[in-house]
Amino acid sequence: MNPTIDILNAHRSVRTFTADPVPAEHLEAAVHAGQMASTSSAVQAYCAIDITDADTRREIAELSGGQAQVESAPTFLLVCADTRRHRLAAIDANQPHDTRLEAFLIAAIDASLFAQNVVVAFESMGYGICYIGGIRNDLPRLDALLGLPEGVYPLFGLCVGTPAARDGATPLQRPRLPLGAVLMQDRYHDDETMRAHMQDYDDGYREYLRERGVKDSQLAAAWSPRMAEYHRVPRRPALAEHYISKGARLD
Ligand SMILES: Cc1cc2nc3c(=O)[nH]c(=O)nc-3n(C[C@H](O)[C@H](O)[C@H](O)COP(=O)(O)O)c2cc1C
């Protein structure tokens, strides 16, 4: 349709990279493009920490569940919801500082919009990326490792680098829900309509799994059963406690 939409539609996560470094001017151009994302009332409640120290990278890879790409990616950014600057402004103005759920949510939304702009900028330069939510496995350890101040809440990491050609092929694109499942008119779908979209998606998803070489015996695990399983038990239940310990009230 146009080159921007082509880049967006070509996205896939990349987890193996060549050793080619990401030049500083590319990193800065991508982060600047990230900063140009919309931001609630211009709060700009985010930061990206470029983790260059090899030992720190190794430890983050380990606490993220042994994800090798955290260590091997030429560039690894830690993206945080960041209310530090607001706190400093409040201290300097001798004002109280809001730390409740709306402020936290705004920071998380802002940081996500920032990060996705950074991602698209990198992809437009030919780089591959992989978000790393695994950093939230052990936030106290990450926090101790980096010595983060109050008001800085790590959300995810971002691996960036030139995609390594795997047998000359790019990884298969993971299919998304049918457009009709997410784009509605005036009213939310009734459950029957939504289930029909989910059924269509599960059928297509099994095809995708088959193409990826997943065995027939495991094809029952299409998207819907995977989502049911994924949300069966609380994930990372210690998050609230950590974010509260760093200044967020979350109420
Ligand atoms: C916030 C966030 C956290 C993620 N965390 C991880 C992660 O820790 N490890 C990983 O390999 N992929 C991670 N991913 C990548 C997703 O698994 C991937 O985007 C999804 O499966 C869709 O595949 P695609 O990006 O190739 O289209 C994460 C994605 C997002 C948006």
Side-chain angles (χ1 to χ4, degrees):
M1 193 178 265
N2 68 45
T4 305
I5 292 181
D6 289 346
I7 287 163
L8 294 169
N9 285 337
H11 165 79
R12 61 208 71 197
S13 293
V14 171
R15 296 177 177 87
T16 49
F17 303 95
T18 68
D20 298 332
V22 178
E25 65 263 32
H26 290 181
L27 172 62
E28 286 166 14
V31 171
H32 183 265
Q35 289 185 270
M36 294 315 293
S38 293
T39 157
S40 311
S41 303
V43 293
Q44 304 169 76
Y46 45 74
C47 68
I49 305 178
D50 181 15
I51 308 290
T52 61
D53 178 73
D55 292 337
T56 309
R57 270 284 198 107
R58 195 167 310 118
E59 203 160 333
I60 297 177
E62 192 184 301
L63 69 85
S64 299
Q67 299 203 52
Q69 67 271 32
V70 172
E71 213 177 328
S72 62
T75 290
F76 180 79
L77 301 175
L78 181 70
V79 177
C80 305
D82 180 0
T83 62
R84 186 75 194 159
R85 291 174 291 264
H86 309 158
R87 280 168 183 262
L88 296 177
I91 291 167
D92 294 348
N94 203 20
Q95 301 262 18
H97 175 68
D98 172 36
T99 58
R100 300 183 72 155
L101 181 60
E102 173 68 358
F104 183 83
L105 203 54
I106 282 175
I109 293 168
D110 254 32
S112 302
L113 298 178
F114 159 78
Q116 185 58 20
N117 259 23
V118 171
V119 162
V120 175
F122 273 128
E123 290 181 337
S124 75
M125 291 188 260
Y127 292 106
I129 68 91
C130 183
Y131 282 93
I132 301 291
I135 61 107
R136 297 193 305 275
N137 285 349
D138 193 343
L139 286 182
R141 187 170 157 198
L142 181 67
D143 192 69
L145 187 62
L146 299 178
L148 298 171
E150 272 213 330
V152 179
Y153 314 107
L155 295 179
F156 42 76
L158 212 47
C159 300
V160 186
T162 301
R166 274 200 267 165
D167 305 326
T170 49
L172 212 55
Q173 251 190 329
R174 192 179 284 250
R176 298 300 199 255
L177 285 157
L179 190 74
V182 295
L183 178 61
M184 305 174 207
Q185 274 174 348
D186 298 319
R187 293 281 183 282
Y188 197 87
H189 290 327
D190 60 46
D191 288 350
E192 200 185 331
T193 306
M194 193 59 100
R195 284 201 171 96
H197 283 306
M198 290 161 64
Q199 181 65 54
D200 283 351
Y201 185 49
D202 284 341
D203 293 345
Y205 204 87
R206 279 190 199 94
E207 273 313 304
Y208 156 76
L209 292 176
R210 201 171 276 126
E211 276 184 57
R212 273 185 53 180
V214 171
K215 291 192 198 93
D216 277 359
S217 58
Q218 286 163 11
L219 289 182
W223 183 81
S224 299
R226 283 187 58 227
M227 289 302 104
E229 178 63 24
Y230 189 85
H231 296 102
R232 197 169 53 83
V233 288
R235 301 177 72 83
R236 302 182 179 127
L239 279 187
E241 190 186 338
H242 178 74
Y243 286 144
I244 289 167
S245 79
K246 297 300 290 186
R249 274 185 51 177
L250 304 185
D251 60 349

